[in-house]
Amino acid sequence: MTWIGLLIVGLTAVAVQGEVPIVTRAEWNAKPPNGTIDSMETPLPRAVIAHTAGGACADDVTCSQHMRNLQNFQMSKQKFSDIGYHYLIGGNGKVYEGRSPSQRGAFAGPNNDGSLGIAFIGNFEKRAPNKEALDAARELLEQAVKQAQLVEGYKLLGHRQVSATMSPGEALYALIQQWPNWSEEM
């Protein structure tokens, strides 16, 4: 078989699997956790959408740098054992691995337990994330159900519903209220 034939077979296999590609911690050069992290039993009943409220990113290099900066900030200033979210979504339409979904997050105080934390990189108070980022988040939610990270009838919430914050920003909050599994209540 030629290299083109192998490429077609490989691409077909990826398309059939339908998995959202995840930029791993190793790929964005994460530091290891600096302490213990409580575990959670999956599948989880809630997905919480947040934003990082800082600068946005549109390419692989910048998004990976934002991941390292956020992890450094959360570990050094907020005294978390690791980055607080389970997944983050870049403006490049890629999903970045945070902490494991079987580890309790650090983004919603007492509501971390039972919540899958997904944050969009950037500030989405006045403008929504781009289509690529929104599509990646919706596909990630579907994949999380298929991989038993979320229960099938999970509740989708905005960060402000579980914590005293403006996150995920007004523009993004308005959008996620139209998504499947949206819930007014925890």
Side-chain angles (χ1 to χ4, degrees), residues 69-141:
N69 291 347
L70 180 63
Q71 185 189 39
N72 285 333
F73 174 78
Q74 290 185 328
M75 291 173 76
S76 64
K77 302 287 188 228
Q78 294 181 299
K79 304 299 182 200
F80 297 167
S81 295
D82 197 0
I83 196 164
Y85 304 104
H86 299 101
Y87 297 103
L88 291 96
I89 315 289
N92 58 355
K94 293 186 179 177
V95 177
Y96 290 78
E97 178 185 28
R99 60 176 65 194
S100 166
S102 64
Q103 296 175 322
R104 187 167 22 168
F107 57 88
N111 296 309
N112 284 317
D113 200 36
S115 296
L116 184 71
I118 301 171
F120 285 79
I121 299 172
N123 186 321
F124 300 102
E125 186 61 32
K126 296 183 178 174
R127 63 173 181 80
N130 64 30
K131 181 183 180 326
E132 293 79 13
L134 293 168
D135 288 347
R138 285 191 292 261
E139 291 169 15
L140 174 64
L141 289 166

Side-chain angles (χ1 to χ4, degrees), residues 6-101:
L6 288 172
L7 179 63
I8 291 170
V9 169
L11 291 175
T12 303
V14 170
V16 169
Q17 285 178 348
E19 286 195 10
V20 177
I22 308 282
V23 179
T24 66
R25 292 173 61 89
E27 289 170 326
W28 62 263
N29 201 24
K31 292 192 284 192
N34 65 7
T36 59
I37 301 174
D38 292 339
S39 63
M40 297 190 296
E41 192 172 320
T42 56
L44 304 170
R46 291 183 300 276
V48 177
I49 304 294
H51 73 166
T52 60
C57 65
D59 61 73
D60 296 355
V61 172
T62 308
C63 288
S64 290
Q65 185 63 54
H66 277 284
M67 291 294 295
R68 291 188 296 276
N69 291 347
L70 180 63
Q71 185 189 39
N72 285 333
F73 174 78
Q74 290 185 328
M75 291 173 76
S76 64
K77 302 287 188 228
Q78 294 181 299
K79 304 299 182 200
F80 297 167
S81 295
D82 197 0
I83 196 164
Y85 304 104
H86 299 101
Y87 297 103
L88 291 96
I89 315 289
N92 58 355
K94 293 186 179 177
V95 177
Y96 290 78
E97 178 185 28
R99 60 176 65 194
S100 166

